[in-house]
Amino acid sequence: LKGKPASGYAVGEVHVYPEKVEIVGAEAALRGVSVVDTYPVDVSGKKASFTQSVGLNLPESVGSSVQDAVDVFVEIEKE
C-alpha cells in the first residue's frame, strides 16, 4: 500500500483474491520465487473501503499462467 487515508481514517484489513496464482517460467527463474508482489495500491485520501484490480509485479522471465492481475480489497475504517 502507498499513501495515507483521509484524516480520521485508517487502513483495516487487506485481502487479495485469489490468494494464490500459478506462475510459469524457466526452472532457474522460478527457483527463488516464493511470494509474488502486486504493484502498489494507493489509499491516499480514501474514506471508504474499496476493491482494485492490481497487476502482478513478476520477476523478469516469469509469467502467470492464467492471469496478470488480482483484486485487492482494502478496508478503510474510522479511527
Side-chain angles (χ1 to χ4, degrees), residues 58-79:
L58 296 169
E60 206 170 306
S61 301
V62 175
S64 174
S65 65
V66 178
Q67 62 198 71
D68 57 2
V70 292
D71 290 330
V72 178
F73 169 78
V74 181
E75 179 182 42
I76 304 292
E77 52 192 22
K78 280 197 163 234
E79 289 186 307

Side-chain angles (χ1 to χ4, degrees), residues 7-76:
S7 180
Y9 292 84
V11 173
E13 294 186 19
V14 177
H15 299 279
V16 179
Y17 304 102
E19 292 180 358
K20 295 181 181 182
V21 294
E22 184 176 314
I23 57 175
V24 295
E27 183 179 341
L30 296 175
R31 192 171 296 130
V33 179
S34 60
V35 174
V36 174
D37 292 324
T38 67
Y39 287 100
V41 174
D42 191 359
V43 299
S44 298
K46 298 287 187 184
K47 295 181 179 179
S49 300
F50 65 99
T51 299
Q52 181 176 331
S53 181
V54 183
L56 300 174
N57 189 4
L58 296 169
E60 206 170 306
S61 301
V62 175
S64 174
S65 65
V66 178
Q67 62 198 71
D68 57 2
V70 292
D71 290 330
V72 178
F73 169 78
V74 181
E75 179 182 42
I76 304 292

